[in-house]
Amino acid sequence: MSPVIQPPNGTRDLYPIEAARRRFITEAWRRVSINHGFEEIDGPTFEHLELYTVKSGEGIVSELFSFRREGGEKDFALRPEFTPTLARMYAAKAKSLSSPTKWFTAGPFFRAERPQRGRLREFLQWNCDVVGAALPEKPTPLDVAAANTRADSEIISCCIDLLREMGLTAQDVTVRVSNRLLIADILEEIDIPRNRHDIALAALDRSAKLNEQEMAEFCRKQGLPATFVSRFNEFRKKYEDLPAVRGTTGQMLDRTRGIGSVLALYNMLTENGYQEWIEPDYSVVRGLAYYTGMVFEVIVDGERAVAGGGRYDNLIEMFGGPPTPAVGFGMGDVVLSLVLQDKGLMPTDAELLEIAGMRPDVFVISNGTPEADARLGGVVAELRRGGKAKAGDGVDTGRMPVPRDGVGGGLHVRRSYKATKKIGKLLQEAGDVRARFAVILESGTEATIKNLQTGEQDQSRTAIDQLAMELRKRLAVVR
Amino acid sequence: MSPVIQPPNGTRDLYPIEAARRRFITEAWRRVSINHGFEEIDGPTFEHLELYTVKSGEGIVSELFSFRREGGEKDFALRPEFTPTLARMYAAKAKSLSSPTKWFTAGPFFRAERPQRGRLREFLQWNCDVVGAALPEKPTPLDVAAANTRADSEIISCCIDLLREMGLTAQDVTVRVSNRLLIADILEEIDIPRNRHDIALAALDRSAKLNEQEMAEFCRKQGLPATFVSRFNEFRKKYEDLPAVRGTTGQMLDRTRGIGSVLALYNMLTENGYQEWIEPDYSVVRGLAYYTGMVFEVIVDGERAVAGGGRYDNLIEMFGGPPTPAVGFGMGDVVLSLVLQDKGLMPTDAELLEIAGMRPDVFVISNGTPEADARLGGVVAELRRGGKAKAGDGVDTGRMPVPRDGVGGGLHVRRSYKATKKIGKLLQEAGDVRARFAVILESGTEATIKNLQTGEQDQSRTAIDQLAMELRKRLAVVR
């Protein structure tokens, strides 16, 4: 035997249970996206390297898997995030797309960081984005701000509804909502000059990871006051008590500026029933360089980040499109899975396989006569392709919509591969794989259908050429 | 504006219609796999380079996208095919897996060949494999041959059933079935020594791409007779007329050898209703180095290869597992899509979006009063998360199974983003996106539900807090 070759560090082999777990999560992502009016798109798994070096910022670029095809002229990189692809795709078709365009995607992404609990080198990420806005012909700044508030609210709502659908509650989850415009206002208030704002954001982004001394050292090196972070934290508090801010400023706030846009968003999320989930927190700045306004982070149990996103109103234009407002978020599968498992919210293995559509409709058994033995393979094949019945006969299986007349309607059929002819053992095997029905072939052209969920046995036998139709009728009731 | 960055040559941007087309194909792959008793697995998108250099053969290795992480010790490659990953995964858990193990996967694969019609650098591929066999404790060669025949037959049946489900018929499709053991017998018959068999296979694999002169030249260089290919073709014919072979040899053929195993497979596929689709053709050898027995190729309209596969009984052992029989196939999405489009078998755009679950359940409209306007966002949000109704109330939506009590049941809800308050225009927009129902909010706490498929308007109004339940009842009927 040769030594077993290992999968690359930080990647996953998905055996059937892990694949069913992936399906559970990706289908929930898909269902919630669609319910919220997002349409699915996707891009290549690798892109030209320059797509990321242009605008994502150093945090991403240092973690790229990049490569060049032998003899090729350009470098490629495995995609570390989706936003640049989305911006490229939107820019390429901006003229023909509706306003707003609401897109989602879910697929593999790659970062060459050191693998650890909650972080892998290949992971799945779900992205939802609202790009563009329906505006009157000559929009006022307030029209723009209102459309942006609605888009920000839709993005945060969609993200929360996924977590709710997974069984998490506002007790588990905090959506920390921030805004880079408001952060800029606070920076001005504490006398950080405009040309130091970018580096101040970088310092704030790093503040959770560094201790006080390291932070002071970082600030000194970057030409920021050593007490910058604690000063910022002191000043931001007064804007985080929104009822107090509201009491001070009433309805008169300019919604096109930081605090006004924060209040407008908070109002809308409250009206729509999300107020328990959200919390203003202007220490959140997000690492990516391209964010321009609202940014948010979704934290479980006060420490585990499961999602994050924000507004990036300049990115479409940077990638060759017209000036276009845009907002979105990404949610990975790794931390989400760990959270669901830790909280007992991940379905059991049997439930996962059923949710993934893996529960057999029928298990076909011979009664052990040579005639039934000989017929077994043919009956299995016929039921798998839906029998001789035509579409419209009997009852639809209710699983996938049948794409067109005469197609589909096949059943999930299993059989034993063992040599045993004992019907009891074979029924046991049917039960072990959780088949809904067993069919026992007799020596004539008839068969007995047994409902394995109720244990009930049909009194009348069924002609073999009616089996598919009879099973479909019964399946429409039990599934 | 910056210039638009292009996607890498040979990759695809999937806008919503293209993504729905992908979903149509991948869900059909999934449905047919599951009906045939295969369980889903997956591996990493990139593997250690050595996984492919060991056994896939030169044809694959020359087309790899490979790379090395800066400072890393090992080279990686984007996966060009799935079989080595599957063999690695099976080998790692061989002891705990059932016999046979039936696995499928569908995902992105990568080849750095020159892009052309029907060939891309990133494509989707569906793989089904039967690995291992249920055998008595001391199996005879005939036991092994019988299990292999059944597995070969299951693999070919599953592949054909997908094409049938897509609307293709035996008039469009030919499954060219061959066998490397039988080819070896023919090579012996025409006096090619054992140690030239590998190169003879390579010559046969190339024969479709080279003209007569190039072929003769290739054979001469490789130490094969210049007339090798025409000689082989002459001899193979007599084994391709299976009824004649059967007449000559009767039931006495040794099924553990080439022609016997071909006849046994042909018999089983015939019994199971696939005889119109298959055709013996021993010019088929398949390019991959690891095949050991049955090999096949699926051709549409006599020239377009949509799928192929074969038996690889040594590969699991080469990757560190126990000696294990295995057989499988791969089908790409690119040629399949072209074939379906050319034959008018690809659903229309509207059908595709509906199949992909993209048809809205309900479009919510305000009647234009300030009270209804103010309530719109909240009603949309509530319906998207399934209303206040609890699971068990009313009727299940019938889409995904609800994973657990109190979760799920959200509806696909859209609204207008336009400024217009004209109900006629808004209903027009609801119709344009093909919503099944419209809900018109009134100034009180009531709403009117309109069935947009029948045009029928409910006579009685519905209380807003009953909307989710009332809509779910109606959706259970129309979907």
Side-chain angles (χ1 to χ4, degrees):
Chain A
M1 278 196 207
S2 321
V4 176
I5 298 176
Q6 299 297 322
N9 201 2
T11 68
R12 290 176 284 191
D13 287 343
L14 305 182
Y15 289 89
I17 287 296
E18 291 91 24
R21 204 169 288 141
R22 174 178 74 173
R23 178 89 179 170
F24 171 70
I25 287 175
T26 56
E27 287 299 288
W29 284 348
R30 180 181 179 79
R31 191 165 65 248
V32 171
S33 311
I34 291 174
N35 285 348
H36 282 253
F38 292 86
E39 296 186 295
E40 188 176 21
I41 64 161
D42 206 352
T45 302
F46 63 92
E47 292 270 10
H48 287 124
L49 177 61
E50 56 178 336
L51 193 72
Y52 306 110
T53 51
V54 176
K55 285 296 149 200
S56 296
E58 182 49 31
I60 287 274
V61 173
S62 64
E63 291 172 355
L64 288 173
F65 282 112
S66 61
F67 54 96
R68 176 179 293 205
R69 172 71 187 146
E70 217 172 298
E73 284 174 13
K74 285 193 161 190
D75 284 321
F76 300 117
L78 293 181
R79 59 184 187 179
E81 56 155 342
F82 191 65
T83 313
T85 297
L86 175 138
R88 176 175 72 56
M89 286 176 64
Y90 185 93
K93 302 236 170 167
K95 279 179 200 158
S96 62
L97 295 169
S98 54
S99 296
T101 287
K102 295 172 65 179
W103 280 342
F104 81 93
T105 198
F109 291 85
F110 308 84
R111 296 205 185 167
E113 54 189 344
R114 183 196 298 274
Q116 50 181 285
R117 185 172 155 91
R119 286 194 185 196
L120 293 175
R121 291 182 149 192
E122 174 169 2
F123 54 96
L124 297 173
Q125 195 181 78
W126 173 42
N127 280 252
C128 290
D129 293 86
V130 178
V131 187
L135 293 172
E137 246 180 67
K138 295 190 177 170
T140 64
L142 212 66
D143 289 331
V144 173
N148 286 354
T149 300
R150 189 152 69 197
D152 291 352
S153 162
E154 289 212 51
I155 281 300
I156 292 176
S157 309
C158 183
C159 185
I160 292 174
D161 278 356
L162 182 283
L163 300 171
R164 184 203 307 270
E165 176 123 351
M166 298 282 91
L168 294 164
T169 69
Q171 274 67 57
D172 307 307
V173 176
T174 308
V175 180
R176 297 181 179 160
V177 183
S178 178
N179 190 303
R180 287 200 178 178
L181 298 177
L182 176 56
I183 292 172
D185 290 345
I186 300 174
L187 294 176
E188 277 192 23
E189 207 173 332
I190 59 173
D191 299 322
I192 306 295
R194 278 268 157 203
N195 63 8
R196 309 307 297 158
H197 280 199
D198 277 357
I199 195 65
L201 286 174
L204 292 173
D205 187 44
R206 218 159 291 204
S207 64
K209 289 171 207 151
L210 302 183
N211 65 30
E212 212 171 316
Q213 200 179 348
E214 290 166 335
M215 198 67 241
E217 179 62 24
F218 178 87
C219 287
R220 242 190 317 269
K221 270 196 191 148
Q222 301 292 340
L224 294 166
T227 59
F228 160 65
V229 173
S230 54
R231 204 114 197 272
F232 179 87
N233 284 336
E234 183 187 316
F235 273 73
R236 73 178 162 91
K237 296 288 180 203
K238 69 175 170 181
Y239 295 107
E240 288 176 357
D241 183 1
L242 292 186
V245 176
R246 191 191 310 257
T248 317
T249 57
Q251 296 298 310
M252 300 303 295
L253 278 162
D254 177 359
R255 280 201 277 157
T256 63
R257 298 213 22 111
I259 188 62
S261 115
V262 164
L263 274 178
L265 176 59
Y266 186 80
N267 281 347
M268 188 168 279
L269 286 168
T270 300
E271 276 165 21
N272 294 350
Y274 297 95
Q275 73 275 26
E276 290 174 44
W277 301 74
I278 56 175
E279 183 178 288
D281 182 342
Y282 311 126
S283 70
V284 171
V285 300
R286 304 290 299 158
L288 290 161
Y290 48 64
Y291 288 126
T292 55
M294 187 278 289
V295 286
F296 73 104
E297 226 162 65
V298 183
I299 307 292
V300 176
D301 295 340
E303 55 173 7
R304 301 163 91 173
V306 296
R311 175 162 288 284
Y312 49 98
D313 286 345
N314 300 332
L315 198 64
I316 307 285
E317 194 176 3
M318 285 171 181
F319 284 164
T324 310
V327 60
F329 73 88
M331 179 187 291
D333 73 318
V334 183
V335 173
L336 179 63
S337 285
L338 291 173
V339 162
L340 296 180
Q341 285 171 49
D342 291 351
K343 291 185 179 285
L345 293 170
M346 184 63 83
T348 64
D349 289 359
E351 286 168 345
L352 282 170
L353 291 174
E354 183 161 352
I355 291 167
M358 291 290 178
R359 185 161 182 191
D361 294 324
V362 53
F363 196 96
V364 183
I365 290 169
S366 159
N367 73 348
T369 57
E371 206 182 339
D373 280 359
R375 194 171 274 135
L376 184 68
V379 170
V380 167
E382 196 169 308
L383 293 177
R384 282 176 177 164
R385 54 181 186 252
K388 284 168 185 149
K390 292 191 187 68
D393 284 2
V395 185
D396 187 82
T397 65
R399 224 176 315 155
M400 271 285 288
V402 174
R404 68 183 75 76
D405 286 348
V407 181
L411 301 178
H412 176 175
V413 185
R414 304 250 188 139
R415 56 170 293 175
S416 180
Y417 295 93
K418 301 196 177 104
T420 185
K421 298 212 168 196
K422 290 184 184 149
I423 294 186
K425 282 207 169 178
L426 293 166
L427 284 173
Q428 177 64 43
E429 189 181 345
D432 290 347
V433 298
R434 303 187 70 241
R436 296 174 197 275
F437 291 92
V439 161
I440 303 163
L441 302 181
E442 321 278 343
S443 41
T445 57
E446 293 193 334
T448 304
I449 299 174
K450 195 175 159 80
N451 183 331
L452 297 176
Q453 291 168 285
T454 63
E456 170 204 336
Q457 189 144 334
D458 287 34
Q459 292 303 310
S460 64
R461 288 176 177 173
T462 303
I464 281 181
D465 60 6
Q466 299 294 310
L467 262 181
M469 204 178 72
E470 290 297 325
L471 284 164
R472 274 203 293 270
K473 277 186 196 164
R474 287 165 177 75
L475 285 162
V477 177
V478 301
R479 277 201 296 224
Chain B
M1 278 196 207
S2 320
V4 175
I5 297 176
Q6 298 297 322
N9 201 2
T11 68
R12 291 175 284 190
D13 286 342
L14 305 183
Y15 290 89
I17 287 297
E18 291 90 25
R21 202 171 287 140
R22 174 177 75 173
R23 178 89 179 171
F24 171 70
I25 287 175
T26 55
E27 286 298 289
W29 283 348
R30 180 180 179 80
R31 192 165 63 250
V32 171
S33 310
I34 290 174
N35 285 349
H36 282 254
F38 292 87
E39 295 186 295
E40 188 176 21
I41 63 161
D42 205 353
T45 303
F46 63 92
E47 292 269 12
H48 287 126
L49 176 62
E50 57 180 334
L51 193 73
Y52 307 110
T53 51
V54 176
K55 284 297 150 200
S56 295
E58 182 50 31
I60 287 274
V61 173
S62 64
E63 291 171 357
L64 289 173
F65 282 112
S66 60
F67 55 97
R68 177 178 291 207
R69 172 70 186 146
E70 217 172 297
E73 282 175 14
K74 285 194 159 187
D75 284 320
F76 300 116
L78 292 181
R79 60 184 187 179
E81 56 154 343
F82 191 66
T83 312
T85 297
L86 176 137
R88 175 175 72 58
M89 286 176 63
Y90 185 93
K93 302 236 170 170
K95 279 178 201 158
S96 62
L97 295 169
S98 54
S99 296
T101 287
K102 294 172 65 179
W103 280 342
F104 81 93
T105 198
F109 292 85
F110 307 85
R111 297 206 184 167
E113 53 188 345
R114 182 196 297 276
Q116 50 181 287
R117 187 173 153 91
R119 286 194 183 198
L120 293 174
R121 292 182 147 191
E122 174 170 1
F123 54 95
L124 296 172
Q125 195 181 79
W126 172 42
N127 280 252
C128 290
D129 293 86
V130 178
V131 187
L135 292 172
E137 246 181 67
K138 294 190 177 172
T140 65
L142 212 64
D143 290 331
V144 173
N148 286 353
T149 300
R150 189 152 70 196
D152 292 352
S153 161
E154 288 212 50
I155 282 298
I156 292 175
S157 308
C158 182
C159 185
I160 292 174
D161 278 355
L162 182 285
L163 299 171
R164 185 203 307 269
E165 175 121 352
M166 297 281 93
L168 293 164
T169 69
Q171 273 68 57
D172 306 306
V173 176
T174 307
V175 180
R176 296 182 179 159
V177 183
S178 179
N179 190 304
R180 287 200 178 178
L181 298 177
L182 177 56
I183 292 172
D185 290 344
I186 300 174
L187 293 176
E188 278 194 21
E189 205 173 335
I190 60 174
D191 300 321
I192 306 294
R194 277 270 157 200
N195 63 8
R196 309 306 299 157
H197 279 199
D198 278 356
I199 196 66
L201 285 175
L204 292 173
D205 187 43
R206 216 160 294 204
S207 65
K209 291 171 206 150
L210 302 183
N211 67 31
E212 210 171 317
Q213 200 178 347
E214 291 165 334
M215 197 66 240
E217 180 60 25
F218 178 86
C219 288
R220 240 190 318 268
K221 273 195 189 151
Q222 301 292 341
L224 295 167
T227 59
F228 160 65
V229 173
S230 55
R231 197 101 205 283
F232 179 87
N233 284 336
E234 183 187 317
F235 274 73
R236 73 177 161 92
K237 296 289 181 204
K238 69 176 170 180
Y239 294 107
E240 288 175 357
D241 183 1
L242 292 185
V245 177
R246 190 192 310 259
T248 316
T249 58
Q251 296 298 310
M252 300 304 294
L253 278 163
D254 177 359
R255 280 201 276 156
T256 64
R257 295 205 34 102
I259 188 62
S261 114
V262 165
L263 274 178
L265 175 59
Y266 187 80
N267 280 348
M268 187 166 283
L269 286 168
T270 300
E271 276 166 21
N272 294 351
Y274 297 95
Q275 72 276 24
E276 290 173 44
W277 301 73
I278 56 175
E279 184 177 287
D281 181 343
Y282 312 126
S283 69
V284 172
V285 302
R286 305 290 300 158
L288 290 162
Y290 49 64
Y291 288 126
T292 55
M294 187 277 290
V295 286
F296 73 105
E297 218 161 70
V298 183
I299 307 290
V300 176
D301 296 339
E303 54 173 8
R304 302 162 92 172
V306 296
R311 176 163 286 283
Y312 50 97
D313 286 347
N314 301 331
L315 198 65
I316 306 284
E317 194 175 4
M318 285 171 182
F319 284 165
T324 310
V327 59
F329 73 87
M331 179 186 291
D333 73 318
V334 183
V335 173
L336 178 63
S337 285
L338 290 173
V339 162
L340 295 180
Q341 285 172 51
D342 290 353
K343 292 186 179 285
L345 293 169
M346 184 62 82
T348 63
D349 289 359
E351 286 167 346
L352 282 169
L353 291 175
E354 183 160 351
I355 291 167
M358 292 288 178
R359 185 162 182 190
D361 293 324
V362 52
F363 196 95
V364 183
I365 289 169
S366 159
N367 74 348
T369 57
E371 207 183 336
D373 280 359
R375 192 170 276 134
L376 183 69
V379 170
V380 167
E382 197 171 305
L383 292 176
R384 282 175 178 165
R385 56 181 184 252
K388 284 167 186 149
K390 294 191 188 67
D393 284 2
V395 186
D396 188 88
T397 65
R399 226 176 314 155
M400 272 284 289
V402 174
R404 70 185 71 79
D405 286 349
V407 182
L411 302 177
H412 176 176
V413 185
R414 304 250 188 140
R415 55 171 291 175
S416 181
Y417 295 92
K418 299 195 179 109
T420 184
K421 298 211 166 194
K422 290 185 183 148
I423 294 185
K425 281 207 169 178
L426 293 166
L427 284 172
Q428 176 64 42
E429 189 180 343
D432 290 347
V433 298
R434 301 186 71 241
R436 296 175 197 275
F437 291 93
V439 161
I440 302 164
L441 302 181
E442 320 280 342
S443 41
T445 57
E446 293 194 333
T448 304
I449 298 174
K450 196 176 159 78
N451 183 329
L452 296 176
Q453 291 169 285
T454 63
E456 170 204 336
Q457 188 145 335
D458 288 33
Q459 292 304 310
S460 63
R461 288 175 177 173
T462 303
I464 281 180
D465 60 5
Q466 299 294 309
L467 261 180
M469 203 179 70
E470 290 297 324
L471 284 164
R472 274 203 291 269
K473 278 187 197 164
R474 286 165 176 75
L475 285 162
V477 178
V478 301
R479 277 202 296 224

